[in-house]
Amino acid sequence: MKIATQNQAFFPETILEKFRYIKAMGFEGFEIDGKLLVDNLNEVKAAIKETGLPVTSACGGYDGWIGDFIEERRLNGLAQITRIMEALADVGGKGIVVPAAWGMFTFRLPPMKSPRSLAGDRKAVSDSLRYLDEVAARTGTCVFLEPLNRYQDHMINTLADARRYIVEGGLKHVRIIGDFYHMNIEEDNLCAAFHDHRDLLGHVHVADNHRYQPGSGAIDFRAAFNQLRTDGYDGYLVYECRIRAEDPAQAYRQSLDFLRQC
C-alpha cells in the first residue's frame, strides 16, 4: 500500500515547490484539491513531470453536493466535478472523492427535521451517481463515494450505506472510500467493515480518532492495515487530517514514519 497526502497549511505555496516538498517528505502521491487542479492544469502536469510524484486523486474543489437540497447547486456541483474528472484523466489521476454532502444537515443537531424526505435524498444522490458513473466511464476515472459521520451528513454514514447505492444502482465506476476518522465514529469494527466491503473498496483516508495525525490518538492502525493487506487492498492511503503539534512538519514526518511501521 502506498501513502499519499492532501495539502497542508505548512506546505509551500507554489505548485512545483509543493510537489517537491511532498516527495521529499516521503509521500508517494498527492491528493489534490479539484479546483487547484483545474485552474492550474499545465503547472500540475509540469510538476508531475519534473518530480515524478503522481496526482493520485482529487478531493473537494467544487460547489454543490451530489445530494444537495438545492437543485441548482446540485447540478452546478456535477458540472464542476465533471471538469475535475476530465482534468484527472489528463494527469493520470485515479478518481475523485465525493460525499453525499458535508455540513448541509444532520439529524443530530437542531432543527433535526430534514427539509426533504429520505426518498428525496435517495433520488438526488442516485441521479447524481448515475450521471457521474457515465462521466467516469468516459474519462477512465472513478468516483470514490465517501460515507461521513452522522454529525456531518445524514445520508451516507457507513460503508454499507455507500455499498447500497453502488449495488442497487448497478454502478460500474463508483467505489467506496473508507475514512478512518468517520469509520471510527460509525462502524462497529473497522477491520470487519474493511473486510465486508473489500470488493468495492477503492480508496482510503487516514486520520486518527480525533482527526489529528495518525499515531497521535487511539486507532489501532496496525490491525486495520493488516486487514487491508490480507484482503488485497492495493490502493492509496491518503492523509486527511489536522495536525496537533508545535512543529507541524516534524509531527507529520513522525506520523508518516509511524504508519510505515504499521
Side-chain angles (χ1 to χ4, degrees):
M1 297 183 293
K2 295 162 288 190
I3 303 178
T5 184
Q6 294 183 354
N7 194 34
Q8 288 288 350
F10 65 88
F11 288 179
E13 286 296 321
T14 69
I15 289 173
L16 179 57
E17 289 302 317
K18 199 183 299 290
F19 272 73
R20 288 171 175 166
Y21 188 84
I22 291 170
K23 183 174 182 178
M25 188 170 279
F27 288 98
E28 298 164 281
F30 182 26
E31 181 166 278
I32 196 168
D33 174 83
K35 188 175 189 305
L36 182 68
L37 172 62
V38 170
D39 290 349
N40 303 275
L41 184 58
N42 288 333
E43 286 184 68
V44 172
K45 290 167 75 172
I48 293 171
K49 183 177 181 179
E50 176 177 317
T51 64
L53 184 77
V55 165
T56 61
S57 42
C59 185
Y62 54 89
D63 302 308
W65 306 111
I66 66 169
D68 212 295
F69 289 148
I70 300 172
E71 182 67 1
E72 182 180 0
R73 282 178 53 86
R74 185 182 75 86
L75 295 176
N76 183 60
L78 291 177
Q80 292 177 333
I81 292 170
T82 297
R83 289 193 289 272
I84 295 170
M85 293 169 75
E86 290 168 346
L88 279 170
D90 204 12
V91 300
K94 187 176 180 181
I96 184 169
V97 176
V98 176
W102 179 84
M104 187 175 72
F105 175 78
T106 170
F107 286 117
R108 303 298 173 179
L109 295 171
M112 298 182 180
K113 181 175 176 58
S114 175
R116 185 173 62 196
S117 68
L118 294 179
D121 288 343
R122 188 150 197 90
K123 182 180 187 305
V125 174
S126 296
D127 288 351
S128 295
L129 288 174
R130 280 194 294 270
Y131 171 83
L132 293 178
D133 194 51
E134 294 178 359
V135 175
R138 173 171 59 82
T139 57
T141 60
C142 187
V143 175
F144 299 125
L145 184 58
E146 183 175 26
L148 304 184
N149 71 75
R150 70 195 76 172
Y151 306 103
Q152 296 181 0
D153 177 45
H154 69 292
M155 290 177 277
I156 303 177
N157 302 129
T158 65
L159 270 60
D161 291 339
R163 183 184 192 90
R164 181 184 171 197
Y165 276 98
I166 295 170
V167 172
E168 292 186 1
L171 305 174
K172 304 299 184 184
H173 306 280
V174 179
R175 291 293 180 266
I176 300 169
I177 168 174
D179 182 300
F180 274 81
Y181 169 69
H182 298 298
M183 291 176 67
N184 175 70
I185 296 172
E186 296 296 339
E187 304 289 351
D188 294 336
N189 182 290
L190 270 70
C191 292
F194 278 131
H195 179 71
D196 289 347
H197 305 285
R198 60 194 180 279
D199 58 322
L200 291 178
L201 185 69
H203 203 55
V204 173
H205 276 169
V206 290
D208 224 310
N209 62 290
H210 43 25
R211 184 50 106 184
Y212 290 98
Q213 69 270 22
S216 64
I219 288 180
D220 186 349
F221 285 97
R222 186 181 301 276
F225 284 10
N226 284 339
Q227 185 66 63
L228 289 168
R229 292 188 191 99
T230 298
D231 290 335
Y233 177 73
D234 61 357
Y236 279 91
L237 307 169
V238 179
Y239 269 63
E240 186 187 46
C241 64
R242 301 183 182 94
I243 306 169
R244 178 181 282 170
E246 293 184 5
D247 185 339
Q250 180 183 23
Y252 220 53
R253 292 188 184 93
Q254 290 173 341
S255 177
L256 181 56
D257 290 341
F258 163 77
L259 281 195
R260 294 282 187 209
Q261 297 170 22
C262 287

